[in-house]
Amino acid sequence: MSLEDKELTYFDRNAPTHEIVPVENGFLAVSDDALLSLDLSSNSVTQISTRFNPPDYEKKVYLVQLKDKSIIMVHRVLINENGKSVTKSFKLYQLTAEKNWTRKRSLGDETLFVGGNSSISVTASDIEGCKPDSIYFVRDGEGSFGTRAWRYDHGVYDVYMGTISQFPISDSNLMKKTRQPPIWVSPTFQL
C-alpha cells in the first residue's frame, strides 16, 4: 500500500500472522509456519523461508528490519513466576542470503524496541540514554484476561549479558496506573 493507493490490499492466510514489517516494495510477515513476502507491485504472496520453530516456551515472535536492511526474528522467552507469565530472555535469529535462520548474539550499536503495536530498530548512539545491544520491551497484553501484564512485565534486555533491568521507577509507576497497553512511537519525519 502507498499513499497513492485508493484501495486496501487484503491479505488472506490460514495461519495466524505474528508480525508484519514494511520493506522495499511491500511487507514481510511471520506466521506460525513461514516467513512471507507480500509484494504490493504484483499483489502476490511468496513464502521466503520456513519459520524457525521455537520450543513451546518461546511464545511471542517479533520481526525487525535492522539499519543494514537485514531481517531479525526475535523470540521472547516467557516463564511462570509466582503465577504470572513474565519475560525471562530473548533469542535473536537472522535471515541469511540462503533464506535460513542463524542465531545472532549481538546487535552492536543497534537497539530494538518490541511490543504489540510494532517492533523497530534504532542506532543507540543517535539517541541519548539509549543502551546499545539491548531490547526495550513492553508486554503486548497477551495472557489471562484482565491481568494487564504490561504493568509488571517490561524492561530492558541486555543481549550480550543476557540480563533484564527495569525501567526507571517513574516510568514503572506510570505503567502501573495505565489501563491500556503501552506502545512505542517512532517519529519518521523532521521539522
Side-chain angles (χ1 to χ4, degrees):
M1 232 176 309
S2 70
L3 293 175
E4 293 82 31
D5 287 343
K6 304 274 190 247
E7 297 178 20
L8 295 176
T9 302
Y10 181 69
F11 172 58
D12 187 14
R13 180 91 172 113
N14 291 332
T17 302
H18 297 280
E19 183 89 278
I20 298 176
V21 295
V23 293
E24 191 175 330
N25 296 327
F27 296 89
L28 289 179
V30 64
S31 69
D32 276 348
D33 59 353
L35 178 67
L36 306 168
S37 172
L38 292 72
D39 188 329
L40 296 180
S41 60
S42 64
N43 278 339
S44 63
V45 177
T46 307
Q47 180 173 322
I48 294 178
S49 172
T50 56
R51 180 179 145 200
F52 175 79
N53 290 317
D56 287 341
Y57 58 83
E58 294 178 21
K59 295 287 186 191
K60 185 65 182 167
V61 177
Y62 305 96
L63 203 58
V64 184
Q65 184 176 35
L66 299 181
K67 297 301 173 191
D68 67 2
K69 304 295 185 198
S70 62
I71 300 297
I72 299 293
M73 185 169 27
V74 181
H75 289 194
R76 184 182 214 149
V77 178
L78 301 169
I79 60 168
N80 187 323
E81 190 173 273
N82 300 321
K84 295 179 178 177
S85 176
V86 296
T87 302
K88 179 182 181 216
S89 64
F90 290 85
K91 293 184 180 176
L92 306 173
Y93 301 91
Q94 185 166 3
L95 185 65
T96 66
E98 295 79 29
K99 309 301 184 208
N100 297 313
W101 295 103
T102 184
R103 185 77 189 267
K104 186 169 178 71
R105 300 192 185 277
S106 174
L107 293 168
D109 189 36
E110 290 195 59
T111 299
L112 305 182
F113 288 79
V114 299
N117 67 307
S118 68
S119 301
I120 56 175
S121 170
V122 299
T123 303
S125 58
D126 289 346
I127 302 172
E128 186 176 337
C130 189
K131 295 180 182 180
D133 201 21
S134 295
I135 301 171
Y136 287 71
F137 66 94
V138 292
R139 189 61 173 263
D140 330 53
E142 85 272 359
S144 302
F145 179 75
T147 60
R148 296 188 176 140
W150 63 86
R151 290 183 171 178
Y152 60 83
D153 191 15
H154 54 270
V156 182
Y157 179 74
D158 183 308
V159 175
Y160 179 74
M161 298 297 294
T163 57
I164 294 176
S165 59
Q166 295 302 309
F167 291 150
I169 294 296
S170 59
D171 294 341
S172 290
N173 286 339
L174 285 174
M175 297 281 269
K176 291 175 184 168
K177 294 177 182 178
T178 184
R179 293 180 181 209
Q180 299 298 320
I183 62 170
W184 300 116
V185 178
S186 172
T188 56
F189 60 89
Q190 294 192 13
L191 297 175

